[in-house]
């Protein structure tokens, strides 16, 4: 679980992603567009798994620099 400062668009998950301190991340997307909010972090790689669940999509990313996987 990560904390976000909604007033400054800074999320602690971004700090872990940017520092490479992650092994796996899951991203759910849906066909809904929000005009405001915090954007998802960029993982710098393609998802290793993609699954469509109804009209939503689950993408699983793994850190290619992580030795634990």
């Amino acid at each position: 679980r990560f904390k976000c400062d909604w007033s400054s668009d800074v999320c602690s998950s971004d700090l872990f992603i940017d520092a490479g301190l992650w092994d796996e991340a899951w991203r759910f997307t849906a066909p809904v567009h929000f005009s405001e909010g915090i954007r998802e972090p960029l993982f710098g790689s393609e998802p290793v798994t993609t699954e469509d669940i109804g009209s939503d999509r689950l993408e699983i990313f793994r850190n290619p620099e992580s030795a634990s996987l």
Side-chain angles (χ1 to χ4, degrees), residues 13-14 17-18 22 27 39-45 61:
S13 64
D14 293 339
I17 300 284
D18 291 345
W22 63 285
R27 177 170 62 194
R39 299 182 75 67
E40 78 274 5
L42 299 176
F43 299 109
S45 63
F61 296 83

PDB file of all heavy atoms in Angstrom, residues 13-14 17-18 22 27 39-45 61:
ATOM      1  N   SER A  13       4.685   5.306  -4.367  1.00  0.00           N
ATOM      2  CA  SER A  13       4.988   4.200  -5.278  1.00  0.00           C
ATOM      3  C   SER A  13       5.915   4.663  -6.391  1.00  0.00           C
ATOM      4  O   SER A  13       6.762   3.893  -6.856  1.00  0.00           O
ATOM      5  CB  SER A  13       3.712   3.607  -5.862  1.00  0.00           C
ATOM      6  OG  SER A  13       3.040   4.558  -6.663  1.00  0.00           O
ATOM      7  N   ASP A  14       5.767   5.918  -6.844  1.00  0.00           N
ATOM      8  CA  ASP A  14       6.653   6.455  -7.875  1.00  0.00           C
ATOM      9  C   ASP A  14       8.101   6.447  -7.415  1.00  0.00           C
ATOM     10  O   ASP A  14       9.015   6.181  -8.192  1.00  0.00           O
ATOM     11  CB  ASP A  14       6.260   7.889  -8.249  1.00  0.00           C
ATOM     12  CG  ASP A  14       4.911   7.963  -8.943  1.00  0.00           C
ATOM     13  OD1 ASP A  14       4.466   6.943  -9.494  1.00  0.00           O
ATOM     14  OD2 ASP A  14       4.323   9.043  -8.911  1.00  0.00           O
ATOM     15  N   ILE A  17       9.389   2.903  -7.735  1.00  0.00           N
ATOM     16  CA  ILE A  17       9.562   2.555  -9.148  1.00  0.00           C
ATOM     17  C   ILE A  17      10.803   3.243  -9.707  1.00  0.00           C
ATOM     18  O   ILE A  17      11.653   2.607 -10.328  1.00  0.00           O
ATOM     19  CB  ILE A  17       8.317   2.949  -9.971  1.00  0.00           C
ATOM     20  CG1 ILE A  17       7.075   2.237  -9.464  1.00  0.00           C
ATOM     21  CG2 ILE A  17       8.548   2.708 -11.460  1.00  0.00           C
ATOM     22  CD1 ILE A  17       6.910   0.808  -9.820  1.00  0.00           C
ATOM     23  N   ASP A  18      10.914   4.558  -9.490  1.00  0.00           N
ATOM     24  CA  ASP A  18      12.043   5.319 -10.024  1.00  0.00           C
ATOM     25  C   ASP A  18      13.376   4.821  -9.485  1.00  0.00           C
ATOM     26  O   ASP A  18      14.380   4.836 -10.192  1.00  0.00           O
ATOM     27  CB  ASP A  18      11.889   6.810  -9.718  1.00  0.00           C
ATOM     28  CG  ASP A  18      10.750   7.449 -10.491  1.00  0.00           C
ATOM     29  OD1 ASP A  18      10.260   6.831 -11.468  1.00  0.00           O
ATOM     30  OD2 ASP A  18      10.324   8.556 -10.109  1.00  0.00           O
ATOM     31  N   TRP A  22      11.504  -2.400  -6.784  1.00  0.00           N
ATOM     32  CA  TRP A  22      10.272  -3.165  -6.958  1.00  0.00           C
ATOM     33  C   TRP A  22      10.573  -4.444  -7.716  1.00  0.00           C
ATOM     34  O   TRP A  22      11.526  -4.524  -8.477  1.00  0.00           O
ATOM     35  CB  TRP A  22       9.216  -2.340  -7.682  1.00  0.00           C
ATOM     36  CG  TRP A  22       9.601  -1.937  -9.083  1.00  0.00           C
ATOM     37  CD1 TRP A  22      10.487  -0.968  -9.447  1.00  0.00           C
ATOM     38  CD2 TRP A  22       9.130  -2.527 -10.291  1.00  0.00           C
ATOM     39  NE1 TRP A  22      10.598  -0.886 -10.798  1.00  0.00           N
ATOM     40  CE2 TRP A  22       9.768  -1.844 -11.356  1.00  0.00           C
ATOM     41  CE3 TRP A  22       8.235  -3.546 -10.596  1.00  0.00           C
ATOM     42  CZ2 TRP A  22       9.529  -2.157 -12.692  1.00  0.00           C
ATOM     43  CZ3 TRP A  22       8.000  -3.844 -11.920  1.00  0.00           C
ATOM     44  CH2 TRP A  22       8.636  -3.152 -12.957  1.00  0.00           C
ATOM     45  N   ARG A  27      -1.157  -3.579 -12.891  1.00  0.00           N
ATOM     46  CA  ARG A  27      -1.873  -2.388 -13.334  1.00  0.00           C
ATOM     47  C   ARG A  27      -3.218  -2.821 -13.916  1.00  0.00           C
ATOM     48  O   ARG A  27      -3.284  -3.622 -14.837  1.00  0.00           O
ATOM     49  CB  ARG A  27      -1.075  -1.635 -14.397  1.00  0.00           C
ATOM     50  CG  ARG A  27      -1.812  -0.426 -14.933  1.00  0.00           C
ATOM     51  CD  ARG A  27      -0.964   0.461 -15.790  1.00  0.00           C
ATOM     52  NE  ARG A  27      -0.489  -0.222 -16.976  1.00  0.00           N
ATOM     53  CZ  ARG A  27       0.481   0.252 -17.753  1.00  0.00           C
ATOM     54  NH1 ARG A  27       1.094   1.371 -17.454  1.00  0.00           N
ATOM     55  NH2 ARG A  27       0.853  -0.418 -18.822  1.00  0.00           N
ATOM     56  N   ARG A  39      -1.268  10.031 -12.564  1.00  0.00           N
ATOM     57  CA  ARG A  39      -1.022   9.072 -13.646  1.00  0.00           C
ATOM     58  C   ARG A  39      -0.260   7.876 -13.105  1.00  0.00           C
ATOM     59  O   ARG A  39       0.476   7.984 -12.138  1.00  0.00           O
ATOM     60  CB  ARG A  39      -0.246   9.742 -14.762  1.00  0.00           C
ATOM     61  CG  ARG A  39      -1.007  10.919 -15.382  1.00  0.00           C
ATOM     62  CD  ARG A  39      -0.287  11.565 -16.526  1.00  0.00           C
ATOM     63  NE  ARG A  39      -0.293  10.836 -17.776  1.00  0.00           N
ATOM     64  CZ  ARG A  39      -1.375  10.608 -18.532  1.00  0.00           C
ATOM     65  NH1 ARG A  39      -2.543  11.011 -18.122  1.00  0.00           N
ATOM     66  NH2 ARG A  39      -1.284   9.982 -19.669  1.00  0.00           N
ATOM     67  N   GLU A  40      -0.423   6.752 -13.779  1.00  0.00           N
ATOM     68  CA  GLU A  40       0.287   5.542 -13.359  1.00  0.00           C
ATOM     69  C   GLU A  40       1.781   5.705 -13.614  1.00  0.00           C
ATOM     70  O   GLU A  40       2.185   6.414 -14.531  1.00  0.00           O
ATOM     71  CB  GLU A  40      -0.254   4.310 -14.097  1.00  0.00           C
ATOM     72  CG  GLU A  40       0.227   4.159 -15.516  1.00  0.00           C
ATOM     73  CD  GLU A  40      -0.595   4.927 -16.543  1.00  0.00           C
ATOM     74  OE1 GLU A  40      -1.508   5.677 -16.204  1.00  0.00           O
ATOM     75  OE2 GLU A  40      -0.283   4.758 -17.729  1.00  0.00           O
ATOM     76  N   PRO A  41       2.604   5.059 -12.791  1.00  0.00           N
ATOM     77  CA  PRO A  41       4.049   5.147 -13.029  1.00  0.00           C
ATOM     78  C   PRO A  41       4.438   4.400 -14.298  1.00  0.00           C
ATOM     79  O   PRO A  41       3.753   3.474 -14.720  1.00  0.00           O
ATOM     80  CB  PRO A  41       4.653   4.484 -11.790  1.00  0.00           C
ATOM     81  CG  PRO A  41       3.571   3.643 -11.220  1.00  0.00           C
ATOM     82  CD  PRO A  41       2.278   4.268 -11.619  1.00  0.00           C
ATOM     83  N   LEU A  42       5.524   4.802 -14.900  1.00  0.00           N
ATOM     84  CA  LEU A  42       6.061   4.120 -16.075  1.00  0.00           C
ATOM     85  C   LEU A  42       7.046   3.054 -15.603  1.00  0.00           C
ATOM     86  O   LEU A  42       7.923   3.329 -14.800  1.00  0.00           O
ATOM     87  CB  LEU A  42       6.750   5.121 -16.995  1.00  0.00           C
ATOM     88  CG  LEU A  42       5.845   6.226 -17.537  1.00  0.00           C
ATOM     89  CD1 LEU A  42       6.671   7.218 -18.347  1.00  0.00           C
ATOM     90  CD2 LEU A  42       4.716   5.644 -18.366  1.00  0.00           C
ATOM     91  N   PHE A  43       6.882   1.848 -16.104  1.00  0.00           N
ATOM     92  CA  PHE A  43       7.709   0.729 -15.657  1.00  0.00           C
ATOM     93  C   PHE A  43       8.924   0.504 -16.527  1.00  0.00           C
ATOM     94  O   PHE A  43       9.827  -0.229 -16.158  1.00  0.00           O
ATOM     95  CB  PHE A  43       6.867  -0.543 -15.581  1.00  0.00           C
ATOM     96  CG  PHE A  43       5.725  -0.418 -14.614  1.00  0.00           C
ATOM     97  CD1 PHE A  43       4.430  -0.338 -15.061  1.00  0.00           C
ATOM     98  CD2 PHE A  43       5.969  -0.349 -13.253  1.00  0.00           C
ATOM     99  CE1 PHE A  43       3.379  -0.203 -14.174  1.00  0.00           C
ATOM    100  CE2 PHE A  43       4.920  -0.217 -12.359  1.00  0.00           C
ATOM    101  CZ  PHE A  43       3.622  -0.141 -12.822  1.00  0.00           C
ATOM    102  N   GLY A  44       8.984   1.072 -17.703  1.00  0.00           N
ATOM    103  CA  GLY A  44      10.151   0.944 -18.565  1.00  0.00           C
ATOM    104  C   GLY A  44      10.268  -0.409 -19.242  1.00  0.00           C
ATOM    105  O   GLY A  44      11.323  -0.752 -19.750  1.00  0.00           O
ATOM    106  N   SER A  45       9.189  -1.181 -19.227  1.00  0.00           N
ATOM    107  CA  SER A  45       9.203  -2.482 -19.895  1.00  0.00           C
ATOM    108  C   SER A  45       7.778  -2.841 -20.286  1.00  0.00           C
ATOM    109  O   SER A  45       6.817  -2.215 -19.856  1.00  0.00           O
ATOM    110  CB  SER A  45       9.789  -3.558 -18.970  1.00  0.00           C
ATOM    111  OG  SER A  45       8.972  -3.730 -17.827  1.00  0.00           O
ATOM    112  N   PHE A  61       3.728  -6.468 -14.522  1.00  0.00           N
ATOM    113  CA  PHE A  61       5.086  -6.075 -14.902  1.00  0.00           C
ATOM    114  C   PHE A  61       6.074  -6.669 -13.906  1.00  0.00           C
ATOM    115  O   PHE A  61       5.784  -6.745 -12.719  1.00  0.00           O
ATOM    116  CB  PHE A  61       5.230  -4.544 -14.883  1.00  0.00           C
ATOM    117  CG  PHE A  61       4.383  -3.836 -15.888  1.00  0.00           C
ATOM    118  CD1 PHE A  61       3.055  -3.556 -15.630  1.00  0.00           C
ATOM    119  CD2 PHE A  61       4.937  -3.449 -17.098  1.00  0.00           C
ATOM    120  CE1 PHE A  61       2.267  -2.903 -16.563  1.00  0.00           C
ATOM    121  CE2 PHE A  61       4.160  -2.791 -18.044  1.00  0.00           C
ATOM    122  CZ  PHE A  61       2.832  -2.515 -17.776  1.00  0.00           C
TER     123      PHE A  61
END
